[in-house]
Amino acid sequence: MIVFLLLLGTALALTVSYFGGMYNERYWRKRGVKFHEQNKFSGPFWEYMTKKVPFFQIFHDMYKEYPNEPVVGFGSFFSPSLYVKDKTNVQFVMQSPVFIDRGFEYNDGDQLADNILFMSGVRWKLMRQKMTPLFTASKLKNMFYIMDKSAQDFVEYLQNNPEKRIGNTFETLSTFCCAAIGAAVFGITSKSTFDSPFLVPTRGAFNPTLWSNIRFSINSLTPPLFKILKLKFFKEYEEFFIGAMKQVFRQREKEETKKHDFADICLSIQKSGTMRHDETGYTMEPTDELLAAQGFFFFTAGVEPAATGMFGALIEIGRHPEIQKKVQQEIDDVFSKYNGELSYDAIVEMEYLEKVLCESLRVYPPIGYLTRRCIEDTELPVGNIKLKKGTKVFTPIYEYHHDPQYFKDPEVFDPERFSEDAKQSMGVTYMPFGYGPRICIGARYARLQVKAGLAHVLHNFDVRTHVHKGGIKYGKDQVQVRMKNVEVEYIPRKIKST
Ligand code: HEM
């Protein structure tokens, strides 16, 4: 009986996938769109589930396979999906209000998933409006002391723990980023915590385990099934994270002094009462849970992508002695000028460090590609491709950054590509933080955190990169670009100018 049911199930699955694949192919061909024939039913998701490849790599292969196509359709069960390659089309997608949704679904009760990254429509608009003030230049200037303090403590941590100076570079960097974002979200404590309990949820949240890969694929391939199965992304971290945030909020209510961190902003939002979107009248209550969900995502974004940003820069600095010398000279000079202290103004003066960071975010963008979903029927300008409401589109990041058409000799690390003028003209071909209305809200914060970390580290250590046999590889991740097979060694500096 069991064998019969198994055979029946397999036959049914094969039939559905055969006819589903035919449907997908016809759907895109009818619209004059090239169809990616590999796995016609489940497209890149099947490849991701069955091979040891990062998701961004599958798009990179498609990018190279169809050099002349403005877009490529692919199988994604019964929800038509499109890989948009052409620069003008990508620009259109990134900027048009028709593509304001990212296309992630989450279920009621998945409290930590109710964050800006996942939100859609007017709910997203209202939350983005409320959170934007946290990241203005003046707020960041006020917060800079927090990042600086964490970076100083990180240097001390490396000095006191020589075993941390070689091996597990990414993990060690994420302890710094966790301490820094932890202090920014919860307020600074007397000493940064490098064995923070928050590392577990932040690392776990987007960790590509078999189960999280299945959940990610179901979410992308068949959102209705995701809803029916009532799947949750972050349930296991709710009690701990929301509990911690509540504790901080209640403590802060009793305190008089302003700390200029996320907890302060949350309290002021709560004090103002119900949040209202003026144009539509849509309202939301700023509950502890809703605000904790925003803090949770800031935490995860502040740790993994920021650590990757720092790792990428150190890898390249550690294998280009001339760049290392130049960036250290600039850092030493600025430290000297500001009496050995790193202020917001001091970091802004480090122009070469800024170029090095821009270039390393080009070579190793921490997020490999972007997603959007159209909320109305629309038409892409190049190719006049008609898209139905609900179509999910995927756009390149890594692929553009490594395309010789946009960056000459893309595998060469050259910070001089990033003069102010050149940056302005790059548009969507350079977007480590995304583009348009849904661009990373924390980009300025992240740049400061990473640069503060790099400035203190390079002021105190030389770095040397060790690439293991086989060269730099990338982990099997859903959206991240995570470098493997490479380590950075920190060597205490003997001579520096301050
Ligand atoms: C180097 C570090 C970081 C990188 C490379 C990065 C990159 C990105 C990218 C590519 C997106 C998608 C943008 C788009 O769809 O156009 C994004 C979204 C977002 N990021 Fe970051 N991020 C970083 C750090 C941070 C930090 C530290 C925070 C918060 C403190 C943050 C908060 C967000 C939020 C809230 C969104 C969703 C924005 C929205 O949908 O409106 N990110 N980030």
Side-chain angles (χ1 to χ4, degrees), residues 61-77:
D61 292 344
M62 270 166 79
Y63 188 83
K64 289 184 284 189
E65 192 178 335
Y66 305 101
N68 302 319
E69 300 298 330
V71 295
V72 180
F74 61 83
S76 157
F77 279 16

Side-chain angles (χ1 to χ4, degrees), residues 315-325 413:
I315 290 173
E316 294 302 328
I317 294 169
R319 55 183 187 180
H320 291 93
E322 68 299 346
I323 293 176
Q324 177 155 186
K325 200 165 157 214
F413 185 79

Side-chain angles (χ1 to χ4, degrees), residues 94 100 102 115-119 124 127-128 131 134-135 143 181 184-185 262 294-295 297-310 357 361 364-372 395 397 431-447 449-450:
M94 289 293 129
I100 205 67
R102 187 162 275 121
N115 65 55
I116 310 187
L117 184 87
F118 284 53
M119 283 177 175
W124 164 76
M127 187 49 85
R128 174 108 192 182
M131 289 293 140
L134 182 59
F135 299 100
M143 270 171 125
I181 190 78
V185 171
F262 178 76
Q294 313 317 309
F297 183 67
F298 292 170
F299 231 103
T300 53
V303 177
E304 295 254 327
T308 304
M310 217 171 147
L357 179 60
L361 289 172
Y364 309 107
I367 307 296
Y369 64 92
L370 296 173
T371 63
R372 296 288 189 270
T395 65
I397 296 183
M431 46 177 183
F433 293 99
Y435 201 86
R438 291 209 76 149
I439 194 170
C440 174
I441 202 173
R444 283 204 284 193
Y445 169 88
R447 297 189 92 93
Q449 178 183 311
V450 169

